[in-house]
Every structure is written in C-alpha cells, then in structure tokens.
Amino acid sequence: MSALTHSPAWLALKAHHSVMTTQHLHQLFHDDPSRFEKFSLCFKDILMDFSKQPVTAETVDLLLALAQQQQLQSWIARMFSGDKINATEQRAALHTALRSEQPVYCDGVDVLPDVKRVLKQMERFAISIQSGARRGYSGKIFTDVVNIGIGGSDLGPVMVTEALKPYWVNGIKPHFISNIDGAQLTDTLRHLNPETTLIIIASKTFTTQETLTNAHSARQWFLANGGSEAAIAQHFVAVSTNRTAVTQFGIDPDNMFEFWDWVGGRYSLWSAIGLPIALTTGMDHFYALLAGARGMDRHFATAPLQQNLPVMLGLLGIWQINFYGTASHAVLPYDQSLHRFPAYLQQLEMESNGKRITRDGETADYATGAVVWGEPGTNGQHAFYQLLHQGTQTVSADFLAPCQSQYPVDDHHRMLLANFFAQTEALMTGKTGEEVRAELQKQGLSGPALEQLLPHKIFPGNRPTTSILFKKLDPETLGALIALYEHKVFVQSVIWNINPFDQWGVELGKQLAGKILSELDQTETITSHDASTNGLIQYFKAHR
Ligand code: G6Q
C-alpha cells in the first residue's frame, strides 16, 4: 500500500465513504433543503453548484483535510513561483506567467518582459493582417488563416475560436489541420486561395512528424497554385520554441513567434500558440481571454481552499474517482459554441494525470484520473444519456451552460436550459418503483402487463453531477473557465502525488511510428514484430 492510501486523511475518507454510500442524493436533499446554499460557490459570473454530488459538510471537511495533508497550498505557491515542478523534464510549469501582470521568475530571470514582447508582436501582426496593411503576394487582403499543429498546438486554438465565433473579425476565417491523414489537409486547402491564405505552423518542438509533413504539403500546395518561393515569407509564419528548426524549414526568424519550454503544450493557448485566436477574434479579445484566466489564477492562489472553485472541483473528482470508483467523467456543455470543450479537456485531464508512477517513483495503487469525454447537450440526450440514467456503471458529469445565449433565437435558449435543469434533476432523483407504478396505473395498465414493464421504467438516480452556470460565454468568462479546469487538474495531481506536466506516452508515440515507417518501404516480409503487427503490416503492403 502506498503512503497516500495509508494516510490518515485517506483512511478517514474511506470510512466516511462507507457511510455515505448507503445514502441516496434524493434523501440528502430531503434532509437538508439548504444544500444548494451550502454546496455551491461563485467566482465573478460563474456559479458552481456541487450540491448534486454525494457530499455533506463532513465530506468537504475530510476532503480539505486531504488537501492539507498533501500540502496543496505549498504546491500552488511553488507552481506560481516558477519552481521546477515538472521534475522529469526539469522544467517550471509557468502557463500562469503568460497571463500575469506581475513579474514571474524562472531560473532567477523575470519572464514577463519576454511574454509582453511576444504579445506585442502578436498584436502588431494581428492588426497588420486585419487592417490589410500586410497582404498576400498579389496584393489581396488575407481572408483565411490555416493553423497547422497537433495536440496542444491545435486543440486549444480550435476550441477557443469555435467558442468565440460571435467575436470573429469580419472577413477572416480560421482553419485547422492537425491529422497526418491527407483527408484533412486536402479537404481544407481545396476551398482556399493561396493568394489570400496565411499559414501558421505551430509546433513547440518543431519536430513533430504530423505537423512537419502537413507543413511541407501545404508549402507544395502553395507553390503549385500560384505562390512562389519568394512569397513564402509573406504567407508562412511559425510558432515555436525551436528557432533553429524553424529556420531550417525555410521560415524567416522574423516571421517566428516564440514561446518557452516552461509552457506545456496543452497549457499553451495563452502563448503565441493562441495566434489563430488573436487573428480571428482580434487582440483585444485575446487580452480579455488572458484577463479572465488571470482572475481565476488569483482566485486559485489566494481564496481559502473551501471557497476555491478549482480546489473544490478537483477534490470532488478525487471523491468520485478514488472513493466511489467512478472511472468515467462526462463534460456536457449546454452551449453549441463549446462543442470542442470536451475534446480540449480530454487532453488536458487525460494527458496530465494519466500517469501510474508517483513523483517518488512508486507505482500508484490508486486511480489517477477518469476517462473524460462528452458532447454538447441536448444532442447527447438523444444518444448516450440512456447509459447515464439506467446503465450499470456510474458516470459523473459536469453540466455547463450560459444564462445568456450568444445566438438568441426565439425560445431556443429557454428550452435548452430547461433540458439542462431537467437532466441534472432526473439524474439525481431518479424514479422509484412506486412512482412508476402510479404512472402506469394512471395510464390504465394493470396486472402482468404493468409488472412486466415496471422494472424497465425505474431510474435509480443518485448519479453525481456538478452544474456550472455562467452569465455569457464572452472571452473573459471563457478564459476563467479554462483556467478553472487547468487548476482542477493540478489540484488532483497534487493529491495523487504525480507530475501532470510531462507526457512520456505521447513521446513514445512519436518514436514508434518512425521505425515502422521505413519498414513499410521494404519489399521483404517483415518479421521484427509480434505476429499480429507483422501480419497487419503485410496485409497493408499487399492491399495498398
Ligand atoms: C501536449 C503534448 C502534445 C503536443 C503535441 C504537439 O501537452 O505535449 O499534445 O502538444 O504532441 O507537439 P509540438 O507542439 O511540439 O508539435
């Protein structure tokens, strides 16, 4: 057994769980009508209601005791102050410095001047593109921005530009190419005119096979469709930490936007990786996004743990994952604009905390994360909610919604929110046998027909949800929401004693394909792998 699962705070929660597990959420609400007031928190326009989680005041106290035991406050301070808490890569994790207004020191040097310098460079560039001062090779203004990047160099900008569509600058459209599958590149570029297309190659390392391959193909497309070598400098820019590789690729370092190794890929949308956001929505809105995240940073760093949204969200996850054994977590935005938010959080959470070795090099004997997934409501209701309501496993869920729609159309938003409230209520209360029986009798059913149908219409309820409501999905609120989840992930990593800032599993993927790639060109039979992999390679070669 690990030190964590042996620890007093853990054991106290375990004992408490054995009592709580006999209680139905419905009963908890019946016993205490003030649950909403007790178990909801506010930060600016964001309300987080966790009263539909199986918690009492004692649960909260015990979770906070666990946070204290794991020295959460000291870890938070270490992260903000630039300690090299990404120990396996000997790096700081300073994404918060990207939105800071105060000096932040890394290796004794204030990083803020560099951060501000690149933000200014982005601002100048965005203004020059939007105003038409900087144009394509034929003198036409830019109308399309293509971001070529993958993982952390893709998901954040995709999610944010989609979420902030109502803020798009007139006449500029973003496109994203991430997959090495030629389908995405072909499908994106075939609609575009090289004369009016700006291409951003976004890669922290500038060595990622998918991105570099797509970048080379985009270059060929540009040259084959009217562009010239001389015009490349006007149409291609890079975002990277690797100046040498950018230069080798043929991009003028003047057209490079820099960031730093203390920015993790999945935490990088606040850096120059956010260039597509700035170009599409305008630098003012990018600054507002940063301001929203900065507000949440301050809240995370200074609010008492009990009133701290990221802390409580993280601890509720611990309660579900480690004590209730909930292995699946759904993110359900009742806002179509957030349709890529679940995919973004999937990377943030699963890449950060999907680890089995602790900071001390031990194998964790406890779960370190759930499978994160989701789709916007109400689409999900007509697809997978069946399992949430009546399946054999419990899935925890975050429901998110704005009070004001960005797209007010007739009665749509009222109906959307009615679904949000109805679903969280139904997941919590369920429907008992007696209720179903009364319903069926009212419909005129009786005898064996009623008895046969009855069990199928029972809903156990007691399904845990957290509701996050906010006034409107403006850039500032979105920034705060993203930072809320970034810090939630950090809180959980501290409890689990793991490093959330490395990603050796991703690195493995980057190495593995390289070896097989050369084998795909060999004519002789491949025998260097297991029988399955050899067989699959042979089949592919025979049928390509
Ligand atoms: C993120 C991961 C990973 C990374 C991509 C792209 O935290 O490290 O998703 O962002 O593999 O890497 P590059 O930006 O270096 O191309």
Side-chain angles (χ1 to χ4, degrees), residues 334-336 378 400-421 469-473:
Y334 278 62
D335 186 336
Q336 187 62 28
T378 58
L400 297 104
C403 297
Q404 296 172 17
S405 173
Q406 312 204 75
Y407 301 94
V409 187
D410 299 331
D411 212 13
H412 288 232
H413 198 61
R414 209 166 61 97
M415 287 160 81
L416 178 68
L417 269 285
N419 275 282
F420 174 116
F421 302 135
L469 285 180
F470 42 93
K471 196 163 149 196
K472 197 176 170 196
L473 191 64

Side-chain angles (χ1 to χ4, degrees), residues 138-154:
S138 65
K140 292 188 180 161
I141 57 170
F142 286 108
T143 55
D144 295 277
V145 174
V146 178
N147 188 78
I148 299 179
I150 195 165
S153 301
D154 170 68

Side-chain angles (χ1 to χ4, degrees), residues 150-153 202-206 208 211 264-266 347 351 503 506-507 510:
I150 195 165
S153 301
S203 175
K204 178 175 169 179
T205 54
F206 228 77
T208 305
T211 300
R266 56 196 169 277
Q347 181 192 28
E351 205 166 276
Q503 56 282 314
V506 181
E507 311 305 330
K510 290 185 182 184

